[in-house]
Amino acid sequence: MMIDRDGIARPGTPERRILDEIRPEGLPRHVAMIMDGNGRWAEARNLPRVQGHRAGAQAVRTTLETAARLGIEVITLYAFSTENWKRPKLEVRALWALLKEFIDSQLDTFKKNNLRFQTIGDLERLDPSVRKYLDRARHVTRDCTGTLVQIALNYSGRHELTRVIRAAVTDATQGLLEPEMIDEAWIAQHLDTAGRPDPDLLIRTSGEQRISNFLLWQIAYSEIYFTKVLWPDFGTTEFLEAIRVYQQRDRRFGGLTDTVPPGGNPVQT
Ligand code: FPP
């Protein structure tokens, strides 16, 4: 896969200098992002929090365009956690409205950039009107073969694992599953991320250094990159810098350096 360097940054610019240090053969296959700091971004400007989320949606657009041009296989974005329902009603409503608006305005761009839309999380609790938008986005982009964009909605890692365990017990009580059939591969195949490689790189913005219930199973060997930049300010330069730093890390997966294949995420099926 070739990186579209000129499409990402013009020669001579600071972001191009970072980009030129990035090796195409060592790119992360899967980048997961905890998009934090929208509220603080807005508060710093005396704007309502919702304006921060709006600016955050713009940062999502830029990030996806860069991911497509880099040739990243999978991007997973933490857009709404199972805990986010505790926020004020107005903010919750605004977030779902923003998602619909995002889908309306971005579907053509998804197609143009060959991005495939998917979700992870428990969609059952979502408003039927939201689910209709999600169905449409999935349907319209189903033949896109470029970057897979997984938006985490009503998602948390513990909730996902709880659903897997429930499914296992249901199968077991119907006589379809024996204890020895459950191994790591079985569990991985029953997660929302079944069939996708685990994240190689997890990025969290806004200076917080925690996982907040995101992809708990899948990040076992992910490299974690924290930046103080607030999500709405996370642009091409920050994304490229995270990848540059990632490429300098020494990934061992519990073994010794020499045993890891170059670029190395062992595929999990
Ligand atoms: C965290 O910032 C961000 C969220 C809870 C929502 C993320 C949503 C978006 C980036 C916009 C919509 C997404 C898509 C995919 C269109 P925060 O509100 O917790 O910030 P704070 O910690 O500064 O208060």
Side-chain angles (χ1 to χ4, degrees), residues 72-92:
I72 306 267
E73 252 177 85
V74 187
I75 293 277
T76 305
L77 301 171
Y78 207 2
F80 196 94
S81 77
T82 52
E83 287 80 23
N84 284 151
W85 297 106
K86 291 185 237 159
R87 294 191 175 208
K89 259 209 183 94
L90 202 69
E91 184 172 341
V92 169

Side-chain angles (χ1 to χ4, degrees), residues 35-40 49 53 56-57 60 78-79 84 87 91 95 98-99 102 151 231:
M35 312 182 285
D36 198 8
N38 296 347
R40 275 162 285 165
R49 293 177 56 81
H53 295 313
V60 170
Y78 207 2
N84 284 151
R87 294 191 175 208
E91 184 172 341
L95 278 169
L98 206 52
L99 178 71
F102 177 83
I151 314 272
W231 176 255

Side-chain angles (χ1 to χ4, degrees), residues 99-116:
L99 178 71
K100 289 182 183 172
E101 197 181 309
F102 177 83
I103 290 174
D104 263 340
S105 67
Q106 292 306 295
L107 269 190
D108 286 346
T109 314
F110 263 65
K111 291 273 284 184
K112 198 180 85 202
N113 291 329
N114 200 18
L115 297 165
R116 187 148 66 92

Side-chain angles (χ1 to χ4, degrees), residues 116-127:
R116 187 148 66 92
F117 184 97
Q118 261 300 345
T119 59
I120 59 169
D122 184 359
L123 304 187
E124 270 177 33
R125 179 164 172 192
L126 306 191
D127 191 272

